[in-house]
Amino acid sequence: MKKYAALYIRVSTDAQFEEGYSVDAQKDMLEGYCRSRGWKDYRFYIDGGFTGSNIDRPRMQRLIEDVRAGEIAQVVVYKLDRLSRSQKDTLYLIEDVFNPAGVGFTSMNENLDTGTPMGRAMLGIMSAFAQLERETIRERTRMGMRERVRGGLWMGGGRPPFGYDYDSASGRLIPNADAATVRLIYRLYLQGLSAARIAQMTGFHDDKPVRDILTRKSYTGVIEYNGAEYAGKHEAIIDRALFDRVQEAMKRRSAARSFSSGHLLTGLVYCGRCGARMRYQKWGDKGYKLTCYSQQSSKKYLIRDENCDNPKVWADEAEAAVIGDFLSRALKADESDMPAPESNEAPLEAKIQETQRRIKRLYALYAAAEDELLAESIDEQKRLLETLRRQAGDEAAQNRQAQARKTRRERYRHLAEAWEDMTDDEKRSVAQELIERVEIDGDAITVRYRL
């Protein structure tokens, strides 16, 4: 069988049109090399637009097949990294594919010829440098991405978050028409709808995209990268307070789903006489009754009063009473019940900034003339600053709690009209989120809400 030289050419998408790397440029140099050796029998193997990080390329695979079929005498490339940028792959091709078949390998740029002892010795060194170059490029890319996000810019590449477009000129995310859908998803979730129901309403195939949207901090104006958060320069679609309320709601619903019984009030019902928890107990074919754990000897650690005589009540009647109570509250809920909380955060922040400026001025005076009175004034202002910051933190926490209460009250107004359309799981989620506990004492049922 007459053998021929295989002239392999690879161009990546990034280097395809660079001088010295284009297909035509490599063809000219490889043909010139063949003419200088007097070789007339050669074939081109060209992979256009393929990375050199692996050998999973169509013409490379064909080249390997032809080598093993005994059709090739020599493989020639313009530069070693045209074969592969991976040291492991390069050595595999030379040691496990070319050499066993008696095929020589030549790289023009490095003057490398495995037909000579020096060429074989240089092979490992050159392959190592090709691997080093690839890893260096990768590290520089990662560093570039880190610097971009630290500067508040989107890392570039990939798909931007739903609700944003990527502006390559500025490097920023720009809200688009889908931003309104993002806000709707957050609002519907806080109204008690499940991610699956929201997906149906907003046109998603399943609930995964909805859950991704509900947990992506990018919508609050930050950029997440490698577990860290950076202040982004893009416009926020939702505020951080809304995002945090949704995360809290998701945790509560997740905790609610951990109950296996699937009953509406599981984990919420307490005995109004002894304070012990109450459980759902199967009562023949008639349904379930709610029973005080103090009357159950199977779990002694839950007993509060062995002599508790609170009668058992039918669960469906208790559930109906609770539903009726909070739906009636929902119908009565009004904006007048939700006064906007007065916030002292702004005045406190102003005092903090003024105190910081005062400390800077005192330090400047102290630097000019070290004086004991100035040192005492600096310490006094530092203590004041610490107190103001603590007060600001407490005020912020109180405001968050007030806002959370306001949100729950707002949800009440939607419950009456939405309740009948909710699934059982959605009703349980609403109950777990809005109700703190239900106390039952005989026929008397008291519902305590998270307001």
Side-chain angles (χ1 to χ4, degrees), residues 246-264:
V246 166
Q247 306 318 300
E248 292 173 4
M250 294 181 80
K251 288 180 182 178
R252 284 195 294 269
R253 295 191 193 185
S254 177
R257 285 193 294 271
S258 66
F259 293 109
S260 60
S261 71
H263 297 293
L264 179 70

Side-chain angles (χ1 to χ4, degrees), residues 348-349 351-352 355 359 379-395:
L348 283 170
E349 183 59 30
K351 290 181 180 179
I352 288 173
T355 304
I359 291 174
D379 291 338
E380 181 181 347
Q381 291 301 312
K382 283 184 175 180
R383 288 192 294 271
L384 174 60
L385 181 61
E386 184 178 348
T387 300
L388 290 172
R389 284 173 171 166
R390 185 169 57 252
Q391 291 175 351
D394 293 342
E395 183 70 17

